[in-house]
């Protein structure tokens, strides 16, 4: 039986495979992260979150005040999730092994009616949930959100292949701006408390210590990542053809752990090459 290419598989099947692969990677530490909105649990706001979201934007016509409020709201959520990611060194390493993807945050008002007429609904949020979606799933299923954000061309690459996974996280939040998602890149600061749990080796440390990338650097980095992806895809196709020639026919799709491990290893090799570039190393340079 011939093996279906990703383009021939239904989206739901591809989603199940992606989620299963991510769960396998996170198997040693599984209970703190979700990989879909349906599996993510609601988390009540802590004191810092309640303080920010309970603070009214007294003048909604003041753009600077509104933007400052949004920055504070995003920051307090980013901080909480970042703390979960770097709870331990091993957890940080597992998270990086997930590869590229977006962290989604959904805010809610716990179903309580709008009681305070002086505040906007987004100022009355009381809880949130978050989950991680790998990049393939984002591009496959989230075109509506991408279009809402008007992400295309170099701007889309900025948040997909142009961000630095060794030093940056991509967050997308629903529930702060009315009916609109907000996307942002959060870079680890070398001065961030307990960042040493994230930066556990020389490659990661050098990536964290680098300044925030310029738009031109992101474009160059995205081109490098896409070249690596194309090279690895051709390599997989050659390996597949070789197996077909050896067996006389294309093998059935194998979702066993060895097959998944082979896929993860290939992705890791490509990621490692891009990470060395991110850290300022040449492809053949020793770490």
């Amino acid at each position: 039986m011939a093996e279906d290419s990703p383009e021939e598989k239904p989206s739901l099947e591809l989603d199940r495979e992606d989620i299963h692969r991510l769960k396998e990677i996170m198997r040693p530490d599984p209970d703190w992260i979700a990989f879909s909105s349906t599996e993510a649990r609601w988390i009540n706001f802590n004191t810092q979150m309640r303080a920010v979201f309970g603070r009214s934007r007294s003048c909604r016509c003041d753009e600077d005040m509104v933007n400052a409020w949004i920055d504070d709201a995003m920051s307090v959520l980013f901080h909480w999730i970042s703390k979960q990611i770097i709870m331990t060194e091993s957890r940080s390493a597992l998270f990086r092994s997930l590869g590229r993807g977006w962290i989604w945050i959904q805010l809610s008002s716990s179903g309580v009616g709008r009681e305070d007429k002086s505040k906007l609904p987004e100022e009355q949020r009381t809880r949130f949930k978050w989950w991680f979606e790998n990049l393939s799933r984002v591009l496959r299923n989230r075109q509506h959100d991408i279009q809402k954000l008007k992400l295309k061309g170099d701007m889309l690459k900025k948040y997909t292949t142009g961000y630095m996974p060794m030093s940056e996280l991509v967050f997308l939040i629903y529930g702060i701006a009315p009916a609109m998602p907000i996307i942002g890149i959060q870079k680890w600061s070398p001065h961030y408390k307990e960042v040493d749990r994230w930066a556990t080796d020389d490659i990661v440390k050098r990536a964290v210590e680098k300044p925030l990338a310029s738009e031109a650097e992101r474009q160059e980095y995205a081109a490098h990542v896409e070249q690596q992806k194309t090279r690895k895809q051709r390599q997989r196709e050659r390996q597949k053809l070789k197996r077909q020639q050896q067996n006389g026919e294309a093998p059935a799709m194998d979702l066993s752990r060895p097959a998944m491990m082979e896929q993860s290893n290939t992705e890791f090799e490509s990621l490692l090459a891009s990470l060395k570039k991110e850290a300022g190393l040449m492809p053949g340079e020793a770490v």
Side-chain angles (χ1 to χ4, degrees):
M1 180 178 178
E3 179 181 345
D4 291 336
S5 67
E7 293 78 8
E8 296 169 341
K9 291 184 180 180
S11 178
L12 286 177
E13 183 180 349
L14 291 171
D15 291 346
R16 284 194 294 268
E17 291 178 9
D18 282 344
I19 292 172
H20 184 61
R21 180 177 61 83
L22 297 176
K23 287 183 175 180
E24 284 294 307
I25 293 172
M26 199 56 68
R27 179 188 287 269
D29 188 8
D31 297 328
W32 67 281
I33 188 171
F35 299 109
S36 69
S37 60
T38 55
E39 293 181 352
R41 61 186 178 88
W42 288 107
I43 302 167
N44 291 327
F45 279 0
N46 60 22
T47 303
Q48 291 79 11
M49 295 172 190
R50 289 195 299 269
V52 171
F53 281 85
R55 189 174 73 238
S56 175
R57 287 180 270 165
S58 56
C59 180
R60 292 160 194 159
C61 60
D62 188 328
E63 184 177 352
D64 291 339
M65 182 176 292
V66 171
N67 289 337
W69 183 89
I70 290 175
D71 287 344
D72 289 345
M74 294 173 63
S75 179
V76 72
L77 292 166
F78 292 171
H79 177 72
W80 190 93
I81 294 173
S82 298
K83 293 284 286 185
Q84 308 310 304
I85 293 173
I86 61 170
M87 188 67 68
T88 65
E89 291 183 7
S90 59
R91 177 179 290 186
S92 298
L94 288 172
F95 182 84
R96 289 195 297 272
S97 298
L98 297 175
R100 292 180 175 276
W102 292 1
I103 294 173
W104 295 74
I105 305 174
Q106 176 67 57
L107 303 177
S108 169
S109 301
S110 305
V112 177
R114 183 180 171 187
E115 298 177 356
D116 188 345
K117 303 297 183 180
S118 68
K119 293 184 178 181
L120 297 173
E122 58 268 22
E123 295 172 311
Q124 300 185 64
R125 305 306 188 195
T126 60
R127 62 180 184 171
F128 72 102
K129 61 180 178 179
W130 72 282
W131 65 97
F132 177 87
E133 291 187 12
N134 58 301
L135 193 54
S136 296
R137 206 152 34 114
V138 169
L139 295 176
R140 187 165 60 240
N141 300 332
R142 299 295 190 170
Q143 287 301 314
H144 177 69
D145 301 284
I146 290 172
Q147 290 171 9
K148 266 192 169 185
L149 291 163
K150 298 181 180 180
L151 298 180
K152 57 184 179 180
D154 290 337
M155 187 57 66
L156 178 58
K157 291 179 181 179
K158 173 180 179 178
Y159 296 101
T160 54
T161 53
Y163 83 94
M164 318 295 181
M166 284 295 97
S167 59
E168 296 176 331
L169 305 172
V170 177
F171 288 89
L172 188 142
I173 307 177
Y174 260 108
I176 290 183
M180 272 292 294
I182 296 177
I183 193 169
I185 295 176
Q186 184 79 359
K187 184 184 181 300
W188 291 103
S189 166
H191 309 296
Y192 187 80
K193 185 179 180 181
E194 298 171 345
V195 73
D196 56 314
R197 294 180 183 173
W198 174 267
T200 55
D201 60 49
D202 288 340
I203 290 181
V204 183
K205 287 178 182 177
R206 291 172 71 167
V208 168
E209 290 169 356
K210 290 183 68 175
L212 189 66
S214 66
E215 296 301 316
E217 288 172 329
R218 291 193 187 281
Q219 292 177 25
E220 180 185 356
Y221 186 69
H224 174 78
V225 171
E226 289 163 6
Q227 289 171 2
Q228 290 290 324
K229 182 179 178 180
T230 299
R231 184 175 67 84
K232 291 298 180 181
Q233 179 61 34
R234 290 173 179 169
Q235 180 179 339
R236 285 195 294 268
E237 290 173 355
R238 288 195 296 269
Q239 292 171 346
K240 176 183 174 182
L241 179 60
K242 184 177 180 179
R243 289 196 301 268
Q244 290 174 351
Q245 292 172 340
Q246 291 174 342
N247 298 333
E249 62 177 357
M253 182 65 180
D254 183 3
L255 293 181
S256 64
R257 186 174 297 183
M260 293 178 61
M261 185 62 71
E262 179 183 354
Q263 178 186 0
S264 296
N265 288 341
T266 302
E267 292 174 351
F268 177 76
E269 290 174 6
S270 180
L271 180 62
L272 181 60
S274 62
L275 298 180
K276 286 184 177 181
K277 183 175 180 62
E278 176 184 344
L281 300 173
M282 295 301 292
E285 185 177 346
V287 178

